[in-house]
Amino acid sequence: NTKMNRSLFYSVHTQFRRFSTSTNSRSLFRPQLIIFDKDGTLINFDKQWRTFAENVGASLSSDKDVKRDISNNFLNLMGYTSANKKLAVGAPLSATPMPRLREMTSEMLQSLVGLSPVVAENVLKRCWAPPDPETTSFPMTDLPKLFSWLKQSEIKIGVNTTDDREPTIKTLKHLKVYNFVDSIFCGDDATHPPKPAPDSCLHMCKTLNIDPKNTIMIGDTLKDMLMGKRANLGLSIGVSEGCCSAQELLQEADFVISSIDSLQKTISLFL
């Protein structure tokens, strides 16, 4: 709507002026790398991960060694509130590596149900089923078109996600954007600490020989925004159609867009 577009316009230009100190201001900040979060930014979060949480919760509840309904307990553990099943700010499911989510579930089975570590692990082997990276990946915009435009604008592309590497690559290939991506960091890489630590962002910049100050972080959670801020990236842009609202993201973001549909217009202001 007009009000939102006007707000976006003034937010972007306010941020642009922050980098402008001379008539040659465009050379001071020109984006050379954009690092995208994956889930909730490039693809619909709820369609993939809420379905995962509900399915695993149901599978755990019906397991022969659990023998009780713990579906709501599992949803709560993942960060969904009981009242409306909305993902809470900072929910583990939104920005925690998959191996750690699995460990948390094992700990819940031991403390809540009274299972031994061995039995809990056997339950997880039967019930823990990550979402299919192809059938549950719904893009938030025309990603091949967006990524192609970024490449034409000589902007490199990174993807920084807490999801595992194998499903991440399968997702990007399914969405037909894998060949556009210059760098990928995943939750199971184990070479750097996860979000909101800045290490993985800085590593991506170093590998691609890009100054962090000419890099933009785009994501839908506070951890994404904090990672960008702690890495001293040029901009951290929140996307409010994912896990966090615009008001929540503005706690740490430089500014917020309602959808990555707006991204090309936003980035164009800096080119």
Side-chain angles (χ1 to χ4, degrees):
N1 57 44
T2 303
K3 185 176 181 181
M4 181 171 290
N5 288 339
R6 187 182 298 119
S7 173
L8 169 64
F9 179 83
Y10 285 119
S11 295
V12 172
H13 275 276
T14 298
Q15 187 61 37
F16 183 77
R17 286 196 298 272
R18 198 184 82 181
F19 294 97
S20 304
T21 58
S22 72
T23 56
N24 194 31
S25 59
R26 293 196 179 194
S27 66
L28 297 179
F29 176 72
R30 187 193 187 286
Q32 298 176 354
L33 168 63
I34 294 180
I35 299 175
F36 291 91
D37 167 58
K38 179 170 69 74
D39 305 325
T41 303
L42 297 179
I43 63 175
N44 186 291
F45 185 92
D46 259 359
K47 286 184 178 179
Q48 184 171 74
W49 291 103
R50 180 167 173 172
T51 301
F52 157 79
E54 290 174 341
N55 289 346
V56 172
S59 182
L60 289 170
S61 299
S62 62
D63 187 84
K64 64 183 182 67
D65 287 323
V66 178
K67 301 175 184 176
R68 56 184 286 192
D69 186 357
I70 61 169
S71 54
N72 282 335
N73 301 92
F74 181 72
L75 284 171
N76 290 343
L77 180 71
M78 295 295 101
Y80 283 99
T81 58
S82 299
N84 55 15
K85 291 188 177 179
K86 175 179 169 57
L87 203 66
V89 177
L93 190 57
S94 68
T96 302
M98 287 294 283
R100 177 55 190 147
L101 290 177
R102 198 176 187 280
E103 287 177 3
M104 290 166 58
T105 306
S106 176
E107 292 163 2
M108 182 193 74
L109 290 172
Q110 294 172 54
S111 61
L112 181 66
V113 185
L115 303 183
S116 69
V118 172
V119 174
E121 176 59 26
N122 288 334
V123 170
L124 288 174
K125 285 179 180 178
R126 294 190 291 269
C127 300
W128 190 265
D132 185 283
E134 296 183 357
T135 61
T136 63
S137 295
F138 297 88
M140 300 296 247
T141 192
D142 186 337
L143 293 177
K145 180 180 178 181
L146 172 62
F147 280 24
S148 177
W149 177 81
L150 291 173
K151 286 297 186 180
Q152 290 169 14
S153 302
E154 298 182 348
I155 297 174
K156 293 185 182 297
I157 298 169
V159 173
N160 191 311
T161 176
T162 54
D163 197 4
D164 289 348
R165 178 164 288 270
E166 182 179 352
T168 295
I169 291 175
K170 285 183 178 179
T171 298
L172 295 174
K173 287 182 176 179
H174 172 68
L175 298 173
K176 296 179 171 54
V177 294
Y178 177 72
N179 290 334
F180 290 108
V181 179
D182 299 286
S183 180
I184 301 172
F185 182 82
C186 300
D188 60 345
D189 285 347
T191 54
H192 300 286
K195 307 173 184 180
D199 307 55
S200 59
C201 263
L202 293 172
H203 174 74
M204 295 172 86
C205 292
K206 183 177 181 181
T207 300
L208 297 174
N209 195 30
I210 302 293
D211 189 331
K213 292 182 179 179
N214 290 325
T215 301
I216 298 175
M217 178 68 213
I218 299 180
D220 67 311
T221 70
L222 287 177
K223 285 188 177 181
D224 293 321
M225 300 300 96
L226 279 169
M227 179 171 65
K229 181 176 286 187
R230 292 174 182 177
N232 290 315
L233 302 187
L235 283 175
S236 292
I237 302 177
V239 181
S240 63
E241 66 179 344
C243 292
C244 292
S245 68
Q247 185 177 6
E248 291 162 347
L249 288 166
L250 282 170
Q251 297 175 42
E252 302 295 344
D254 291 305
F255 58 86
V256 175
I257 57 178
S258 60
S259 165
I260 60 169
D261 280 334
S262 311
L263 188 61
Q264 183 172 337
K265 181 184 292 186
T266 304
I267 299 303
S268 295
L269 293 170
F270 297 97
L271 301 179

